[in-house]
Amino acid sequence: MTRLVIFCTLLLVGQSLAIKKSRVRKFPDNFIFGASTAAYQIEGGWNDDGKGLSIWDVATHMEPSPIIDASTGDVAADSYHLYKRDVEMMKELGLHFYRFSVSWTRILPNGFSNQINQAGLDYYNRLIDEMLKNNIMPFLTIYHWDLPHKLQQLGGWANPNIVDWFTNYAKVLFDNFGDRVKMWITINEPKQICYEGYGSTSKAPMLNYTGVAEYLCSKNVLLAHANVYKLYDEKYRETQNGSIGISISCTWMHPVSDSYDDHQAALDARQFDWGQYAHPIFSKDGDYPKELKLNIGLKSAEQGYRKSRLPLLSTKEVALIHGSSDFFGVNTYTTKLAYRDPSVDGMYPIPSYMDDMSAILIKDDSWPQAQSTWLQEVPWGFYNLLIDIKRRYNNPKVYITENGWSTSGGLVDEDRVRYYRNYLNALLDAVENGCNIKGYTAWSLMDNFEWMRGYTERFGLYEVDFSSPQRTRTPRMSALVYKEIIRTNTLDPTYEPENDIAL
Ligand SMILES: *[C@@H]1O[C@H](CO)[C@@H](O)[C@H](O)[C@H]1NC(C)=O
Ligand SMILES: *[C@@H]1O[C@H](CO)[C@@H](O)[C@H](O)[C@H]1NC(C)=O
């Protein structure tokens, strides 16, 4: 039944794409492809074998639940037990690498490095060894949002001591996995951690301390990242010979009109959204972008604060953070339109990140819409982003560490196929225009727990049946298309997978 459905619809997809762009394009030699996941979203085993509680364990068990379908990651895709099947899928796709994250409390149950949980180390050793046995390179994210609850009780990312706590945790990972892991991400998506978790309620710990906590967090995230980079650089690089960077989520913000104000609104929005984290690390002189310092400084003064709500970086801190990345990990999904309209001042809480930014962000209804309300397909926005990163930060080495599309489920995911093809086509345009892009990572290898949206939004190349005890994984049409892109190292918009979903 499924096979028949796939066969019929594939012809249609192939045809419409063929009209748009029939050119077969090649990726650079040595370009690498992977897929990504995060510990809390797939592992399950939330209290197995000595694991401690993270802020997501706490958030998902709150009554009433803040998760739209009241679900949890208690079992999720059960990768804590099914990691061998996960590696099989990587092999089926022909991935060069797999980007996964480590659960801090699986290794350090109370967050501190005085007590190491051997069962946690054993799990990641098994996973890493299974990947290497199959020629898949492990690409390890040290922190992907599941902060130890114990550390949150002390303020989490708003407490400057987190720089030490995080560095001690990272050291345990370098000591135990660095002999085999050569690609590292310190921290995944600072903006989502800080703005969404501390400056609003859309991620754990849902602090909503608007206009204040997200900037305390921002500074501590940057310092924690830079301190871990320095540790790797000084103590591990010589013997372990790996690369270490950061993944920053970047949304392309496009001015609604050609007016000066709208251009400035789009620029401010980019600087708040990702320049806040990228500028201190990748720009020529480091430090926060001037738009950020200016806007928050002015608003803070108007509001009667004695100094800016954005804690400034000292000369020493600027120097520590500057250049602290071997590559720029770009997570990107979509584009938004930005404009400025002083008459709507006060539409956001005061103080807040959005009020400080003073840009209004909207969607364009003509852009294809994913299951996630925030996600629309805008390949030219992806292209603009890559060119802007090249220009602004002196053409850094870039890995796309996340990119993908959500549906409500189903194996025939033509819109995901179209999204991947159009985004990869834009990526190739950027490469042709000199962007130094080394690799691409699809989000995600499989369906998983999509944070506040629970299991209602599916990002997987593989569908996961969350109602089956085995959490059965089945490749979607997009998995077959991605496999062929990797196998041939080319983008062929007319390619139609065999009439067979078995890989
Ligand atoms: C978050 O805080 C702001 C005030 O800064 C308030 O207006 C808003 O309602 C709060 N949101 C939630 C979900 O509590
Ligand atoms: C370090 O890795 C690079 C490739 O990333 C390789 O060319 C080089 O030979 C390695 N050096 C050592 C000492 O292993």
Side-chain angles (χ1 to χ4, degrees), residues 61-327:
H61 290 139
M62 277 168 51
E63 300 269 357
S65 172
I67 312 300
I68 190 162
D69 57 359
S71 64
T72 71
D74 289 0
V75 180
D78 202 19
S79 289
Y80 186 62
H81 300 104
L82 300 175
Y83 70 94
K84 282 199 175 169
R85 171 66 183 130
D86 293 349
V87 178
E88 224 173 75
M89 285 143 57
M90 300 169 206
K91 182 119 177 114
E92 286 167 0
L93 291 170
L95 300 186
H96 302 124
F97 67 92
Y98 175 54
R99 176 174 175 256
F100 65 102
S101 80
V102 167
S103 155
W104 190 331
T105 55
R106 205 180 282 294
I107 307 266
L108 308 178
N110 61 22
F112 297 109
S113 62
N114 63 314
Q115 187 203 336
I116 300 178
N117 180 30
Q118 187 59 43
L121 292 178
D122 292 346
Y123 169 66
Y124 294 106
N125 276 323
R126 287 195 297 273
L127 172 63
I128 290 166
D129 290 343
E130 186 73 12
M131 273 186 252
L132 291 173
K133 206 168 87 191
N134 288 283
N135 282 318
I136 319 273
M137 176 172 70
F139 195 149
L140 191 157
T141 303
I142 299 172
Y143 183 76
H144 197 129
W145 305 359
D146 44 357
L147 191 75
H149 175 59
K150 291 275 191 193
L151 301 186
Q152 191 62 56
Q153 289 180 311
L154 299 174
W157 289 103
N159 183 336
N161 287 293
I162 191 118
V163 177
D164 282 340
W165 304 333
F166 181 67
T167 306
N168 294 338
Y169 161 53
K171 186 171 188 309
V172 173
L173 304 197
F174 295 147
D175 283 338
N176 284 279
F177 308 135
D179 57 333
R180 287 153 294 151
V181 173
K182 303 301 169 189
M183 294 292 284
W184 298 87
I185 296 286
T186 54
I187 291 172
N188 181 71
E189 298 190 350
K191 179 204 165 177
Q192 278 62 24
I193 297 168
C194 294
Y195 169 60
E196 297 193 358
Y198 289 72
S200 71
T201 57
S202 51
K203 293 282 181 307
M206 302 180 286
L207 219 55
N208 199 34
Y209 209 129
T210 69
V212 176
E214 62 270 64
Y215 303 129
L216 300 178
C217 170
S218 169
K219 176 170 176 172
N220 293 329
V221 161
L222 282 166
L223 289 172
H225 154 79
N227 212 46
V228 165
Y229 180 84
K230 182 163 175 269
L231 171 71
Y232 191 82
D233 212 34
E234 291 178 353
K235 300 264 162 60
Y236 293 91
R237 191 188 292 283
E238 197 181 339
T239 50
Q240 298 190 350
N241 195 29
S243 292
I244 180 162
I246 186 168
S247 285
I248 298 174
S249 65
C250 305
T251 295
W252 180 250
M253 310 288 185
H254 204 73
V256 168
S257 81
D258 271 339
S259 76
Y260 173 82
D261 278 356
D262 290 347
H263 270 275
Q264 195 57 42
L267 177 61
D268 286 349
R270 279 176 234 138
Q271 295 291 39
F272 271 72
D273 188 61
W274 41 278
Q276 181 170 174
Y277 307 99
H279 195 276
I281 299 172
F282 298 103
S283 69
K284 185 161 157 285
D285 299 320
D287 202 354
Y288 280 127
K290 64 175 189 297
E291 294 82 358
L292 195 77
K293 292 197 282 191
L294 191 69
N295 286 24
I296 302 170
L298 284 175
K299 292 262 181 180
S300 299
E302 274 170 32
Q303 292 156 359
Y305 289 87
R306 296 285 296 275
K307 54 183 190 174
S308 177
R309 286 177 278 99
L310 177 71
L312 299 181
L313 299 168
S314 71
T315 314
K316 232 177 109 186
E317 289 166 339
V318 168
L320 174 73
I321 297 165
H322 191 218
S324 62
S325 232
D326 298 329
F327 58 86

